[in-house]
Amino acid sequence: MRRHSRLSVVLAALLFATSAGIATEAAAKGGAQLLPNSSLYTKVSTASSKDEIKAICAEIVARQDASAVGQTDASHLYMHGMIMGVSCLKVDYFKALVLARESGDAFTLKAALTYIRDRAAGGNAKAIRALEKYEKAYD
C-alpha cells in the first residue's frame, strides 16, 4: 500500500505540474521547470527536512486565496494531504474541487475531478461525498 501511495503522490505531482498551465521559459526550452515561479511547490526541491516541508504546507494553506496559483497549490495539497510523503493536513476532496474551480484553470479542475472520480469509483467514501456535494453546489 505504501508503494501505491508514493506512486499516487508522484502521479498527482505530475498532474499538478501540468495543470499549473503556466510553463516557464525553461520548460518552453525543454527544461524540467513546469511550475510557475510563484508556486510554493517550487520550494519543495530545496526542503531537506520534514519541518521544512510542513512549513511549506502551512504557507500553501495561508496563501490559498491569494492568487490563482495559490488556489491551484492548495487544491493539490487538499487532494493529497501531503507533500513528499510528509502528511500536512487532512484530505478534503470537496475543498480541493472548490479551489480548483476558483483558480479559473480548466485543466486543474479537470485533473482534480478525474483524480477524485477515480477514488470514488474505487469506493472511497470521502470522494463519493465530495463529488455529491460539489455537483449539488455547482451543477
Side-chain angles (χ1 to χ4, degrees), residues 17-117:
T18 305
S19 73
I22 306 170
T24 63
E25 190 171 86
K29 293 179 181 178
Q33 177 73 25
L34 292 175
L35 297 172
N37 289 333
S38 58
S39 172
L40 293 173
Y41 278 93
T42 59
K43 291 183 174 183
V44 172
S45 64
T46 61
S48 60
S49 69
K50 286 184 179 183
D51 289 338
E52 288 176 335
I53 292 173
K54 286 187 178 203
I56 293 168
C57 290
E59 195 173 351
I60 288 171
V61 171
R63 293 184 181 183
Q64 69 185 0
D65 294 320
S67 68
V69 173
Q71 290 167 326
T72 301
D73 283 353
S75 174
H76 176 70
L77 184 57
Y78 280 107
M79 226 177 332
H80 304 288
M82 68 174 67
I83 296 176
M84 300 295 290
V86 177
S87 293
C88 300
L89 52 82
K90 190 174 178 182
V91 169
D92 186 337
Y93 292 132
F94 178 71
K95 190 160 192 152
L97 288 169
V98 170
L99 286 164
R101 180 182 177 94
E102 290 177 357
S103 76
D105 184 349
F107 189 86
T108 297
L109 179 57
K110 183 177 180 180
L113 283 166
T114 300
Y115 179 84
I116 295 167
R117 283 181 179 143

